[in-house]
Amino acid sequence: MVLSELRAMAKHVEAGMRVALPVDYAGVSMAMTLPLIERGAGNLDLVCVPTGGLQVDQLVGAGLVRTVETSAVSLGEAGGAPRFNAAVKEGTIKLRDATCPAIHAGLMAAQKGSPFVPMRGLIGTDLLRHRDDWRVIDNPLADKGDPIVLIPAIKPDVTIFHAPMADRFGNVWIGRRRELAAMAYASITVLVTVERILEESLLNNEMSAAGVLPALYVTAVAHAPKGAWPYGLWGEYSTDTVEILRYAKAARTAEGFADYMAQMEPA
Amino acid sequence: MVLSELRAMAKHVEAGMRVALPVDYAGVSMAMTLPLIERGAGNLDLVCVPTGGLQVDQLVGAGLVRTVETSAVSLGEAGGAPRFNAAVKEGTIKLRDATCPAIHAGLMAAQKGSPFVPMRGLIGTDLLRHRDDWRVIDNPLADKGDPIVLIPAIKPDVTIFHAPMADRFGNVWIGRRRELAAMAYASITVLVTVERILEESLLNNEMSAAGVLPALYVTAVAHAPKGAWPYGLWGEYSTDTVEILRYAKAARTAEGFADYMAQMEPA
Amino acid sequence: MVEVHPREVLICTIARLLDGVRHVAVGASSPIPAAGAILLRALKEKAGAIGPRISILGSVDHNFFTNGSAELFDCAGQGRIDAFFLGGGQIDGFGNVNLVGAGDYPQSSVRWPGSFGSAYLYFVVPRVILFREEHTSRVFVEKVDFVSAPGISEDGVFRTGGPYALLTGKGLFRFDKSRPGFELESVHPGHDLAEIKAATGFRFAHGERPLQTKLPDRATLDLLRGRVLDELAGTYPEFAVQMQRELAQRGALVS
Amino acid sequence: MVEVHPREVLICTIARLLDGVRHVAVGASSPIPAAGAILLRALKEKAGAIGPRISILGSVDHNFFTNGSAELFDCAGQGRIDAFFLGGGQIDGFGNVNLVGAGDYPQSSVRWPGSFGSAYLYFVVPRVILFREEHTSRVFVEKVDFVSAPGISEDGVFRTGGPYALLTGKGLFRFDKSRPGFELESVHPGHDLAEIKAATGFRFAHGERPLQTKLPDRATLDLLRGRVLDELAGTYPEFAVQMQRELAQRGALVS
């Protein structure tokens, strides 16, 4: 693990990479959004774990995104994600519509070093019909029939998220947001921003250790106070709904989006 | 969740049930061993997650066990498990030899509500040759060949373990011993003994919540200080190696085992 | 006669639909389903019985999960969730739900957020309650443009769950798997069969003179307006305040 | 000449075998492999390089895992573990390992604990070091009675790992996947080829006059007897104390 800063961390992201991002409430590293846009590595294949919001909308709006694999994209109370929805309508991004547990299943397969995991449900959906990477087989352990869907492993090149704290050894405290660990296990590179960095090892006592993603899986950590803003961070601060509404309104047009992003303070 | 006591908890175990027990160092509820023997529900199918020790040996010695699914059984530094080894030699228990990640895989399948999960490795082993419940298929996502083993879901009737603490709402603190959660997710009934019971909810702060198995999965909790003895409990107390050596020596014969168990204090 | 707010009719109907469940999960932005679940629990506890466990996604007070966002789905797959709610940009007469978009996929003319967990939960939660306040032929269509989650499955497909009822701003339907299709069970006060027919794009079974949806009694209303709204305010403060304000305007608030 | 304890030869040989790995995992009761890994790290750090990450199962100081006992295997499956150690009640000339029992399965005449994680780790850890101090034809057999983990796999079987070397109390063998089989690389001080042949139940390749196993230099021994044993004492106090006592008896202890 390397203690880093935002612009340096963004350099880990190369054009054409598969990038995993967490759901709104799990710890989105909004602090990395502008550095990623500055960095300009495009043709990204985003994996939303399991849904996306503001960050996905802004990366799409900035033209960096080739495909979005997700179970949903929205701004929550602020409504639809304007740049994402516009890109869908214009056909400028490729969709890989999924369902939450299928995203989790794909990451789990990668975590286990397995090529796939099976998943119930899905049969008869148009999600399945449009996914040529998912495969239906007859359950080999059943006597007859019993179709079941195989979800291939999702192996992101990069995972990016925000968490309350890390220690100076690179251990990151993710609490009960264990999907962040699942993303990290499955990924080659893991970039984390945190509210604060501790001197003492989080693994030194069993209470804090229980919520730790070990440094073993962490490529770089950067200090970014309020790094999820305008999203909230569990146990730390609430979502700034007014700001998200302001974005939603501004980003209805490409020009409004550009103006909004231009007035954002660079990291 | 019901706050219970040991003998009452043992009544949840019926003859012929599949019972999951944790590895030595994860939190073995040794306090439940005598109540289980008193209860006398036999023909048990034990699942060791992923290996077994003293408790398994004592249940086997007491004649309660029909099959043992495990990756290993031993008394660690105290050597082989004497009653288990004797039963193997005499052919009085059925073995389902496994490997650690296959046990975890079977529990994961149950956790996910899936009939199986695939697992690498295993091919060419005599473990696989002797397991008629494991199945080899050609990976349907590969172009050709690529044999892979499917491990069926392991769904225990009962899981029994010991942990440092629970709150009075039935939430159990398992820290980083997340295999205990995996066992609970997969099981119908979950019986837990703890060192202490807290008044305040463990879910009330994010730090303790990160290590919690929620009450949702817990059938009953009983207070049993030093409940893992002579095993140790992580973060609490060390293994009493002298006592385990004493057991290992005594249990070399059926008579010695009977004498040892007779002088154990009932719960 | 006690004046009943239309949303109170919905909340009380949901409480009835949930009767008997051990564990109900509610989505992140679903104050009315959450209120229905909380009301049922309050009624049970008042009667000395054990109410349902309620998991509200994204709530602090009602979040019993500690294994990340996968746990809800794992929990459902283990058979530990008895009831769940689904909305839908479109719902058709076979109970198919579309949460993805209207028009041709993928370049939908209207794009909704996406399928979330519906394509799994609809298969494994026994009592899925379809809930959509807007009752128009734009929502209730003959055939959805995209199947996020199908109402029925062919024989041989593993399925332990599916649609149980459809609750709208105008009425309550039951889902009959054997036909398959919806049957109108009752009409909410202020609405009638002709209006519902005109607003529904799919055919449904109904009696000649459908019943009116059962209204809550005074005790239930008191519980709802007091304890239930208070509990709800922890997770949905804006909704609770708005309900209280509207009830006050109608002079119905129990202080 | 510095006197070297036979176990020091093993520890230093292990450190050499591990050179270049980023992450080595060591089983719960493996003080010699752990010492070898800790020695390598100390040597690297002394040279200003980054030593390997060391995970010792069951250790508090060297436990970087937080996801239960499955994490080691997940970690290996992800390709994050470069080296691991396997023992075995029997090991044969194809690198097959038997951890289950001697005689007919399941009613083995001698039952060992069981296969642990070998049936998986042997397939996915690139550098598996077979380590067994006892070098007898009881252990090193022509054909194991039970294959817990096979040394080689047929073409088409997914396998990124396997046997790398076999280290015993008498010598060091390399595994040649192409033949397949073991080749004697060196003989520890005090032993010779004839003795090894007599104590080995399988055939192995060897030079006419095999080399002696390389002995550690003074600086390495100092590091081992000082810092490494101190670090080891945190996890294996009894082993560390015993080593120190035996070294003292030989008058070799660096104070």
Side-chain angles (χ1 to χ4, degrees), chain B residues 25 50-51 71-74 84-85 88-91 95 97-101 104 119-127 130 146-147 176-179, chain D residues 63 65-70 73 100 105-109 111 113-120 123-124 145-150 153 156-158 238:
Chain B
Y25 52 79
T51 63
S71 306
V73 179
S74 91
F84 171 80
N85 287 356
V88 167
K89 197 175 276 185
E90 291 157 20
L95 288 175
D97 264 291
T99 186
C100 306
H104 294 306
M119 193 186 122
R120 291 302 192 185
L122 284 174
I123 291 167
T125 67
D126 283 333
L127 297 170
H130 286 94
D146 192 17
R176 44 176 151 172
R177 301 265 39 114
R178 297 201 66 87
E179 62 267 58
Chain D
N63 177 6
F65 293 140
T66 59
N67 197 24
S69 61
F73 309 103
V100 161
Y105 183 84
Q107 279 181 257
S108 318
S109 53
R111 169 79 198 194
S115 303
F116 292 98
S118 64
Y120 183 70
F123 284 81
V124 297
D145 292 338
F146 185 100
V147 179
S148 287
S153 295
V157 172
F158 179 90
E238 286 168 38

